[in-house]
Amino acid sequence: MYPKVYDLNLNLVAILENAFNIGYEKRLNELWTAQFSLPADDPKNAECKPFYFVEIFDGDERVDLFRIVPTKTVRDDNGKTVTYECEHVLATLLDDVLFQYHQIGGTGVYTADVLQYILNVQTTTRWQLGTVEFNKQFLYNFENENLLAACFAVPKPFIEEYQWTWDTTVYPWKLNLVAASTEAGPQIRYRKNLRGVTKEEDPTNLCTRLYALGYGEGINQLTIAEANPTRKPYIDADTQAQYGIISRIWVDRSYESAETLYEAARAMLEKLKLPRITYSVEAADLFRLTNDSIEKFQLGAQVRVIDEELGIDFTSRVVGIS
């Protein structure tokens, strides 16, 4: 299907039959992007105005709703074209701010309450709160922060893996914060659909003892000692026997609660206690041929990669699709 353009009130104003070089990039828990081009003499360029909304499709499948940001006009051997860069409509939350100092959360105030507080600041209510699968009671502090950054900060102290999802087929659009999927997804196998795999192992930021500091300065700076069962200002990883004691100091002055800082430090140490291993995988999209849902790559889904000749067999989460 062709991209569709909507005005600021979500009225359909154009269908871009001549669009080409259509692409997109989905990133887990990040702002998605897209792009498309039109011939410079296409009269529908007049409808592709800054901040107008564009519905992008991949074949017959709807990718999502984006808004137009920069445009670029280029002349080359193939003629003159206009290229449009787009950002996901989640970026509309960048347009409003939590002005000055805001404190929300703590005992009796749950994750959904915090997110609702943030969304209530919208000057135009484009987003409503949908499903929230977490019931934390962390204390948050925001100062002169845009609403998207504030929302993204809410699950950062979580130990559990999470995923932002949304529904832009309803209006106001619906924003969800859910537990990351644990279901088995497609397999990528050598001699089947694996086209290439690269493994990188980086121990640079390895940490097995993490000191955490929050709000304040000097001897008055917040530590995790009050919330830590050991009453120490640090926490130890269960990988010390393997790597020894490697200490790091982590500072985030946005935390004013020892309990929230402690949970955030635990989440941080989980990421740092092992060498960072990154796999980059290129795979054929067999779903295009088989139309079998088991072969479909979904953002956030678990995928097993197997290459017997290289001794590679691991399961990981899809964090990006382009």
Side-chain angles (χ1 to χ4, degrees):
M1 296 180 67
Y2 302 116
K4 298 178 180 180
V5 181
Y6 300 84
D7 65 16
L8 297 180
N9 295 315
L10 293 173
N11 298 309
L12 179 65
V13 295
I15 298 176
L16 307 179
E17 297 92 342
N18 297 322
F20 61 99
N21 287 344
I22 303 167
Y24 61 88
E25 183 173 16
K26 299 179 179 181
R27 300 292 304 175
L28 184 65
N29 298 330
E30 295 181 22
L31 196 62
W32 297 0
T33 59
Q35 66 280 328
F36 64 93
S37 296
L38 286 174
D41 58 358
D42 190 320
K44 293 184 178 178
N45 280 300
E47 303 296 345
C48 298
K49 299 176 182 179
F51 296 127
Y52 269 29
F53 302 112
V54 180
E55 199 170 21
I56 298 292
F57 297 86
D58 187 347
D60 292 330
E61 181 180 353
R62 182 179 186 268
V63 176
D64 220 310
L65 192 62
F66 298 78
R67 68 175 183 176
I68 297 172
V69 275
T71 62
K72 181 190 298 183
T73 303
V74 176
R75 182 186 295 278
D76 57 20
D77 293 340
N78 297 319
K80 192 176 179 183
T81 63
V82 182
T83 297
Y84 297 90
E85 300 290 336
C86 309
E87 59 189 5
H88 191 269
V89 292
L90 198 60
T92 56
L93 291 174
L94 294 169
D95 298 342
D96 289 303
V97 297
L98 290 163
F99 181 59
Q100 294 187 320
Y101 183 80
H102 295 252
Q103 186 176 82
I104 179 71
T107 304
V109 182
Y110 296 92
T111 305
D113 301 321
V114 176
L115 291 171
Q116 189 62 64
Y117 177 89
I118 296 169
L119 294 181
N120 284 345
V121 180
Q122 296 174 91
T123 52
T124 301
T125 306
R126 296 194 180 278
W127 289 95
Q128 61 177 309
L129 190 61
T131 302
V132 179
E133 294 184 348
F134 299 92
N135 288 300
K136 308 293 185 181
Q137 301 177 66
F138 295 156
L139 181 65
Y140 298 91
N141 305 283
F142 305 108
E143 187 170 6
N144 299 324
E145 196 75 81
N146 68 68
L147 301 193
L148 181 59
C151 285
F152 277 5
V154 169
K156 284 186 177 179
F158 295 179
I159 292 291
E160 303 91 342
E161 288 190 285
Y162 63 89
Q163 183 172 355
W164 290 103
T165 65
W166 43 77
D167 183 359
T168 60
T169 63
V170 298
Y171 191 81
W173 305 313
K174 191 172 290 186
L175 183 64
N176 311 302
L177 180 60
V178 299
S181 172
T182 57
E183 294 183 5
Q187 291 188 357
I188 300 175
R189 281 184 174 272
Y190 179 58
R191 300 186 188 280
K192 178 188 175 186
N193 57 344
L194 177 63
R195 290 186 168 177
V197 58
T198 302
K199 176 183 177 181
E200 296 182 24
E201 187 169 357
D202 181 8
T204 304
N205 295 317
L206 181 67
C207 170
T208 62
R209 172 169 290 177
L210 185 65
Y211 292 80
L213 294 169
Y215 178 79
E217 300 287 345
I219 61 172
N220 296 318
Q221 192 164 6
L222 179 70
T223 74
I224 63 172
E226 179 183 335
N228 192 352
T230 67
R231 297 304 176 192
K232 302 290 186 181
Y234 59 81
I235 49 176
D236 287 330
D238 55 10
T239 56
Q240 281 190 1
Q242 186 175 358
Y243 299 108
I245 297 177
I246 303 173
S247 300
R248 299 281 187 266
I249 299 174
W250 174 60
V251 181
D252 189 334
R253 289 184 171 83
S254 67
Y255 291 100
E256 297 185 19
S257 160
E259 290 77 13
T260 307
L261 179 64
Y262 173 68
E263 292 297 329
R266 291 178 60 205
M268 179 66 68
L269 188 59
E270 280 297 307
K271 299 175 183 177
L272 299 177
K273 70 179 186 179
L274 294 169
R276 179 178 175 82
I277 298 177
T278 303
Y279 290 93
S280 298
V281 178
E282 293 183 16
D285 187 0
L286 298 184
F287 175 74
R288 304 280 181 157
L289 302 176
T290 66
N291 206 34
D292 186 347
S293 59
I294 194 63
E295 301 286 1
K296 187 172 179 60
F297 296 108
Q298 300 277 14
L299 193 67
Q302 300 275 17
V303 172
R304 186 178 177 191
V305 180
I306 304 170
D307 187 334
E308 292 89 347
E309 291 190 5
L310 293 179
I312 291 176
D313 186 342
F314 70 92
T315 300
S316 190
R317 195 174 302 285
V318 177
V319 297
I321 299 175
S322 60

